[in-house]
Amino acid sequence: MKISKLKILQSFLQTKHWTDIEKLRQFQQKKLRHLLSTHKDKFYPNSLNLEDYPIIDKAIFMANFNQINTVGITNEEAFNIAITAEKSRDFSPVFRSKQSDIAIGLSSGTSGNRGIFLVSQDECALWAGYILKRMLPKPYFKHRKIAFFLRADSHLYHSVNSRLIDFKFYDLFQPLIQHIEKLNQQQPDILIMPANALKRLAQMEDLHISPKKIISVAEVLEDDAKEQIEKRFRQPVFQAYQCTEGFLAHSCEYGNLHLNEDAVYIERDWIDKQNGRFSPIITDFNRESQPVIRYRLNDILTACDAPCPCGSVFARIKKIEGRCDDILIAQTKNGQLFDLYPDFIRNTIVGLKQPPQEYRVEQVSGSLKIYLKPMNNDLINDISLALNQLFEKLKIKPFHLEFLEYTEPPLHQKFHRICRLKK
Ligand SMILES: [Zn+2]
């Protein structure tokens, strides 16, 4: 797929630092009006009022795929192209519409629950310019080597390749150890990886690289992992909240996460307003091949009201805590359902005097399966005691606790340290 370098550069130059909230709001209204008056799909209503649009989720979006996309591709055709690419690990095939080549990406999820995302050549250029501006260290016009670890490659990512940028894709379907030599040769300045793979890379002894910027993507970045990675590479870890649905947030030079409010309009669906937890409902200003309007993501974000010293007026978020499916369902003592957020469990376990090196927690109805490394009686006793104190404090019925040996999960699957398994 050919991506116009000129359009990338234009997008790069147009992407700016917003320091005036009034101007940002005006810009958003202009973008929204444009989107709502020009979208060409057969699914969304014709209205200039965002509230007239239904709030949808991945299931509704996928069920109406053929009506939502404007390039004339069916759900089946798109899946076939994307799945063939994933299996062969050759991500070059595209769908050719009348106006443009269309790259096809799959979002993560169980087999029946995967989303398909379409990106045209122009959208790709726009995205590339935008993400480079938000994530590249200054000075911008300097030669950079980027190592990007992902589960699936995409035209999107290769669009950033240029004379200034040497971009290499590292396939997470291969064991990490097999990438060490290539990394030592490439000597990347910028390292982009899912949080859990980054943490494991930081433990590799034969690795001799010194990246200038480290960016964690796709998974929850936990404080202890962040510390370990920073210690190994002697650099702060930044985050890009980039998913197939869009590029939603980035960490600024101060390491604080900001929503990309000049690219995406974000409404908040509060799940725990008192503590600032919400799921984002996103409306993407720039998607034409497959408009994304009021699409609710299944993620838990925590809001942060404090202004940022970087001066940006983009809303801040304290953290990305996980998916809504990561919320454990407990019962109060009088039998009401109670949302037990993953952070409650996480903070209890890592807050122990001697926390485990690794752990995972899965809820299976009334039980918690706790996988531990190392697995020993002291740790089992400490964790049982601390969790039961937590349950008591929250006034919920205690879970039955079951302890098992921890095994490393495969890197090509999205890592969830704490989750609830559906029966
Ligand atoms: Zn900031």
Side-chain angles (χ1 to χ4, degrees):
M1 186 156 118
K2 265 225 149 335
I3 312 292
S4 156
K5 299 282 179 219
L6 184 67
K7 285 195 171 143
I8 296 179
L9 185 66
Q10 271 172 354
S11 160
F12 184 91
L13 295 173
Q14 278 164 8
T15 300
K16 57 178 191 183
H17 189 57
W18 290 83
T19 52
D20 183 327
I21 189 83
E22 280 309 311
K23 286 201 176 125
L24 175 66
R25 295 289 172 248
Q26 281 164 15
F27 176 81
Q28 289 179 318
Q29 288 309 318
K30 197 179 94 190
K31 284 289 202 180
L32 270 181
R33 267 199 309 277
H34 178 76
L35 172 73
L36 302 186
S37 59
T38 58
H39 70 86
K40 295 187 190 73
D41 58 272
K42 300 187 189 81
F43 171 76
Y44 297 109
N46 285 317
S47 166
L48 289 179
N49 197 351
L50 190 62
E51 279 97 73
D52 293 339
Y53 289 69
I55 294 173
I56 59 169
D57 59 12
K58 190 194 272 176
I60 300 173
F61 194 70
M62 286 313 298
N64 295 282
F65 179 87
N66 299 356
Q67 286 75 43
I68 292 178
N69 87 77
T70 61
V71 298
I73 186 172
T74 64
N75 189 325
E76 211 174 21
E77 286 173 288
F79 253 119
N80 281 340
I81 297 176
I83 286 182
T84 312
E86 286 223 332
K87 281 199 181 130
S88 64
R89 315 306 292 157
D90 169 12
F91 296 91
S92 54
V94 292
F95 174 76
R96 293 185 205 286
S97 82
K98 275 185 208 134
Q99 300 84 13
S100 166
D101 284 356
I102 305 290
I104 299 169
L106 281 177
S107 73
S108 57
T110 47
S111 55
N113 184 30
R114 303 192 72 178
I116 307 177
F117 280 81
L118 307 176
V119 190
S120 69
Q121 287 157 298
D122 281 358
E123 287 165 338
C124 202
L126 203 66
W127 173 89
Y130 188 86
I131 199 165
L132 286 173
K133 187 66 160 279
R134 293 274 174 249
M135 301 311 301
L136 272 187
K138 287 178 194 161
Y140 294 131
F141 295 95
K142 186 170 179 245
H143 187 258
R144 303 283 185 189
K145 290 177 283 185
I146 303 182
F148 202 165
F149 282 76
L150 280 173
R151 296 174 182 90
D153 199 3
S154 162
H155 291 275
L156 214 53
Y157 310 128
H158 285 275
S159 60
V160 303
N161 243 326
S162 67
R163 250 192 337 197
L164 281 173
I165 291 169
D166 163 30
F167 172 95
K168 283 206 167 57
F169 166 68
Y170 293 77
D171 194 339
L172 281 175
F173 271 82
Q174 284 171 19
L176 217 42
I177 193 105
Q178 288 181 16
H179 293 304
I180 302 297
E181 210 183 308
K182 187 172 157 194
L183 277 171
N184 285 340
Q185 265 174 19
Q186 191 201 4
Q187 288 296 320
D189 307 297
I190 302 173
L191 189 58
I192 308 174
M193 286 175 96
N196 191 49
L198 204 44
K199 180 176 164 187
R200 281 208 234 161
L201 190 74
Q203 294 160 354
M204 299 267 171
E205 283 173 6
D206 294 332
L207 182 72
H208 306 288
I209 58 170
S210 25
K212 309 277 176 307
K213 184 151 187 175
I214 302 170
I215 302 168
S216 155
V217 291
E219 292 167 349
V220 173
L221 175 66
E222 297 173 302
D223 294 341
D224 54 332
K226 188 168 185 280
E227 250 170 58
Q228 278 183 36
I229 301 160
E230 292 182 342
K231 203 166 147 202
R232 166 73 195 253
F233 296 111
R234 295 195 199 96
Q235 289 290 341
V237 180
F238 293 86
Q239 291 188 74
Y241 180 18
Q242 155 71 37
C243 47
T244 30
E245 286 88 346
F247 177 37
L248 303 181
H250 69 279
S251 346
C252 67
E253 60 199 291
Y254 288 84
N256 295 324
L257 269 167
H258 290 272
L259 296 172
N260 295 328
E261 291 194 277
D262 59 345
V264 197
Y265 186 76
I266 297 177
E267 297 171 85
R268 297 175 185 204
D269 184 10
W270 293 104
I271 37 184
D272 171 22
K273 195 163 185 182
Q274 201 181 353
N275 295 303
R277 289 189 175 92
F278 70 95
S279 285
I281 300 170
I282 61 173
T283 297
D284 195 311
F285 297 138
N286 303 309
R287 296 287 283 264
E288 287 176 10
S289 55
Q290 191 185 27
V292 174
I293 303 174
R294 299 197 99 191
Y295 179 105
R296 184 188 187 279
L297 284 173
N298 191 22
D299 291 339
I300 317 165
L301 311 186
T302 313
C304 172
D305 295 331
C308 185
C310 77
S312 167
V313 290
F314 288 176
R316 274 178 64 185
I317 42 179
K318 214 179 285 167
K319 60 169 19 177
I320 302 160
E321 194 176 330
R323 294 174 309 179
C324 294
D325 302 347
D326 296 344
I327 301 174
L328 309 184
I329 308 282
Q331 272 190 25
T332 62
K333 295 207 164 138
N334 50 26
Q336 281 168 331
L337 295 183
F338 180 93
D339 288 344
L340 184 61
Y341 293 101
D343 266 5
F344 287 158
I345 304 281
R346 194 172 357 243
N347 295 342
T348 303
I349 296 182
V350 300
L352 292 172
K353 269 208 188 96
Q354 303 243 301
Q357 281 167 32
E358 280 297 351
Y359 72 96
R360 239 160 24 85
V361 178
E362 282 171 5
Q363 176 181 7
V364 184
S365 59
S367 300
L368 295 186
K369 288 187 173 181
I370 302 174
Y371 298 84
L372 287 180
K373 176 184 164 186
M375 169 85 159
N376 61 48
N377 283 336
D378 287 348
L379 209 48
I380 291 175
N381 290 338
D382 290 354
I383 291 178
S384 305
L385 187 68
L387 284 178
N388 281 311
Q389 280 170 350
L390 172 75
F391 302 149
E392 191 59 39
K393 197 174 114 198
L394 297 171
K395 300 191 174 66
I396 55 177
K397 288 185 187 165
F399 283 92
H400 170 72
L401 305 178
E402 192 183 334
F403 291 89
L404 303 117
E405 192 90 40
Y406 180 91
T407 48
E408 292 284 0
L411 287 175
H412 62 266
Q413 281 168 16
K414 193 163 175 164
F415 180 66
H416 294 275
R417 190 172 301 284
I418 295 156
C419 66
R420 175 166 47 91
L421 294 186
K422 288 188 187 122
K423 278 184 290 181

